[in-house]
Amino acid sequence: MTVSSAPGKVYLFGEHAVVYGEPAVPCAVERRATVTVSAREDDHVRVRAEDLSLNGFTVEYRGSTGDRPDVDVPAPLVEAAMGYIDAAVDEARDAADAPDAGFDITVESDIPLGAGLGSSAAVVVAGIDAATRELGVELAPREIAERAYRAEHEVQDGQASRADTFCSAMGGAVRVEGDDCRTIDAPPLPFVIGFDGGAGDTGALVSGVRALREEYDFAADTVSTVGDVVRRGEELLAEAVPDADEPSEELLSELGRFMNFNHGLLEALGVSSRSLDSMVWAAREAGAYGAKLTGAGGGGCIVSLDPTPETQTALRFTPGCEDAFRAELATEGVRVEVPPGAEVDAEGDSEPDRGDSA
Ligand code: PMV
């Protein structure tokens, strides 16, 4: 049995504009998807998913990608979740050169699905890592990122950027510009996330921005202005004292101002919503340094910067906000977890149990 986990992410800056070649800075956050994989003796795949919240539905099912899962939510939603797992399994089989490998897979995630926090990327990244390790192959995080991107690209009909998968695999703050993906230094930023319980339709929102950009020069300028904000934000991070325990007040206040600016530009591009705007304003009024929507928009999550408990408390009382939580910057990307019941030796080190997988 192999257990791997991978973090979700927020966009500090740059969603949507990244689709047109501008840079973006996503940051991994300590909300993880955990995937447990046991190799089977046959070539079947059985999937059990727990705690997956899809577009406001809670889905609990047992089944296999071959059989119809027994659930009472619309089939397309289940197929979407199963599609990511299928694609991850295909990538793992390919990486391990084991086209007929079968697996029992359990997915658990505390990342709201489709809400701008990179839930599907985290499931795909952790799934590829666990399944390849289970077959005796250890991939570097960069290769997992590449394979996870291919998997998402396939499931999302070509509508995926590398941001989510690269960030989830590598952890920390990253910079993505087209195919160029790098990790960058960032201090531990005090993220507070508000979730409206819903999700936007990424494909429709991306198409909406594309149409605006084609029709109006000022919309195209708005997209490139997002890129300018991202570049200035990156400069701030690069100038920050590396390895500082806490980010300075000056840094937080400038980053927050840029986040506010970025949100305004996204709002102008038509991808915010009443609930996202009201959470953004609640955060700002509670004293957050800045707040913006994260991800495709239309519904889902906002991210704000506040080291105090004020923003989280205010969001909890904000109409339209279903959940508010603090999420530390996840410095670790994909990682192996110790499976439940693994042996602990005399030094206290845990030995993952890989022997009884079939
Ligand atoms: O909602 P998310 O986390 O999948 O983010 C979408 C980000 C976009 O820039 C709108 C699209 C993309 O693939 O980069």
Side-chain angles (χ1 to χ4, degrees), residues 289-316:
Y289 287 104
K292 62 182 279 296
L293 68 84
T294 173
C301 291
I302 64 132
V303 56
S304 58
L305 288 182
D306 187 357
T308 79
E310 301 297 326
T311 295
Q312 190 180 351
T313 307
L315 283 171
R316 289 210 163 129

Side-chain angles (χ1 to χ4, degrees), residues 23-355:
V25 178
C27 296
V29 293
E30 273 309 340
R31 281 252 156 168
R32 289 186 167 258
T34 303
V35 180
T36 303
V37 177
S38 296
R40 291 171 60 102
E41 305 233 319
D42 59 24
D43 61 358
H44 292 202
V45 176
R46 278 179 63 86
V47 180
R48 193 163 77 98
E50 295 175 357
D51 308 330
L52 290 185
S53 173
L54 278 162
N55 290 348
F57 292 96
T58 297
V59 184
E60 287 188 20
Y61 59 85
R62 283 162 200 261
S64 77
T65 47
D67 303 331
R68 221 185 113 69
D70 177 20
V71 285
D72 61 355
V73 295
L77 293 183
V78 177
E79 279 160 23
M82 300 295 275
Y84 287 109
I85 304 208
D86 257 350
V89 163
D90 283 348
E91 285 296 333
R93 284 172 169 157
D94 180 64
D97 199 15
D100 297 325
F103 304 100
D104 288 327
I105 300 174
T106 304
V107 182
E108 292 159 88
S109 174
D110 56 9
I111 310 167
L113 238 143
L117 296 186
S119 54
S120 54
V123 168
V124 172
V125 165
I128 293 174
D129 188 58
T132 47
R133 285 175 186 274
E134 186 65 7
L135 297 174
V137 173
E138 199 174 317
L139 302 178
R142 269 187 187 270
E143 178 161 4
I144 294 173
E146 180 61 31
R147 288 185 175 276
Y149 165 68
R150 291 211 307 243
E152 277 218 323
H153 199 264
E154 183 194 314
V155 180
Q156 294 171 198
D157 294 328
Q159 292 259 34
S161 75
R162 291 173 182 275
D164 288 25
T165 38
F166 185 74
C167 188
S168 183
M170 307 304 287
V174 306
R175 173 192 206 273
V176 176
E177 185 172 2
D179 290 345
D180 180 25
C181 303
R182 304 161 186 223
T183 55
I184 58 175
D185 285 334
L189 296 169
F191 294 124
V192 179
I193 292 169
F195 175 39
D196 71 2
D201 178 340
T202 302
L205 290 154
V206 169
S207 304
V209 173
R210 176 169 290 123
L212 268 181
R213 193 173 161 271
E214 278 164 14
E215 188 163 359
Y216 303 111
D217 287 349
F218 52 79
D221 291 345
T222 305
V223 170
S224 37
T225 304
V226 172
D228 294 338
V229 173
V230 179
R231 281 181 280 272
R232 290 293 294 273
E234 281 184 87
E235 280 169 27
L236 289 177
L237 289 174
E239 287 158 12
V241 182
D243 305 325
D245 287 343
E246 298 291 333
S248 70
E249 160 123 30
E250 196 188 340
L251 173 67
L252 290 177
S253 106
E254 271 197 289
L255 285 176
R257 191 182 302 156
F258 291 180
M259 287 167 76
N260 289 339
F261 211 107
N262 195 162
H263 181 77
L265 296 169
L266 290 166
E267 211 276 329
L269 291 169
V271 298
S272 193
S273 71
R274 184 183 285 261
S275 57
L276 293 174
D277 283 345
S278 85
M279 291 190 290
V280 159
W281 276 105
R284 290 174 186 164
E285 283 169 5
Y289 287 104
K292 62 182 279 296
L293 68 84
T294 173
C301 291
I302 64 132
V303 56
S304 58
L305 288 182
D306 187 357
T308 79
E310 301 297 326
T311 295
Q312 190 180 351
T313 307
L315 283 171
R316 289 210 163 129
F317 288 101
T318 301
C321 177
E322 193 153 287
D323 194 11
F325 49 91
R326 183 168 286 291
E328 304 301 330
L329 182 72
T331 49
E332 265 187 292
V334 63
R335 70 177 182 219
V336 191
E337 303 286 345
V338 178
E343 306 268 320
V344 177
D345 68 22
E347 274 96 46
D349 294 332
S350 298
E351 259 304 304
D353 169 11
R354 290 163 191 262

